[in-house]
Amino acid sequence: GYDYDKTTGDWIINQDEAVYVRKIFNMYLNEGYGCTKIANILNEIGVKTKRKGEWANNTIRKIITNPVYIGTLIQGKSRTIDVVIKKSKKIDEKDWYVHENRFEAIIDEETFYLTQEEIKRRGESKYERRSSSALFSTLIKCGECGSTFTIKRQKHFRNYSPYYTCIEYERKGVRGCGHSRITIYENELI
């Protein structure tokens, strides 16, 4: 959504990309699509990411949770511990440097904060699902960490059989959720 101007040190809105940033927020907030569905739609219509790659659900999530789109620059989220092995340490949120209204916003603040509320609402266990792309979408919870299960479809597993796995494990791995991969095949659930 932005291009960096090296001469002025400012972030300038890339109007071609900003159209899709607004579309992503609209699809999530107003049309009720999840991050995976939005990524699939953008891939189907041939839209590429900033780095000319394919869209993924975590890319969409990073966009809809990033305050940069309301013109806020946040610095100091992590500190490099070892450059050689690329090890860094996360910094507590209260110690971040937040620069509000640093550059022109692509998304208005109301839309951004309503989106954050919707993300939180969808994360609650009593959330009423809107997706029907998977039979058990948002209905299965992880017995280890309580996160929702997500559907996966990979060629090398049981002839394309869809299976469900903990979304927190998929996002953060063992270190992030505290358990190894848990897999449940859809045909077993049926």
Side-chain angles (χ1 to χ4, degrees), residues 62-63 65-74 77 103 112-113:
K62 285 178 183 176
I63 288 172
T65 58
N66 193 340
V68 73
Y69 297 107
I70 57 171
T72 299
L73 176 65
I74 299 178
K77 288 183 174 183
F103 37 82
F112 181 79
Y113 290 113

Side-chain angles (χ1 to χ4, degrees), residues 116-176:
Q116 303 323 295
E117 289 174 19
E118 179 66 8
I119 292 166
K120 184 179 177 184
R121 187 183 75 79
R122 291 186 192 184
E124 294 173 355
S125 61
K126 59 188 174 205
Y127 168 65
E128 185 179 322
R129 75 188 198 137
R130 293 185 182 185
S131 172
S132 62
S133 64
L135 187 58
F136 296 100
S137 177
T138 71
L139 297 177
I140 305 170
K141 301 288 181 195
C142 179
E144 298 291 326
C145 70
S147 296
T148 302
F149 270 42
T150 184
I151 192 163
K152 295 291 211 174
R153 295 176 177 92
Q154 293 185 357
K155 294 179 188 177
H156 58 278
F157 288 121
R158 296 191 188 178
N159 300 324
Y160 301 94
S161 293
Y163 67 94
Y164 295 83
T165 187
C166 174
I167 199 163
E168 236 7 64
Y169 175 84
E170 291 299 313
R171 288 182 186 151
K172 299 178 181 175
V174 173
R175 289 184 187 166

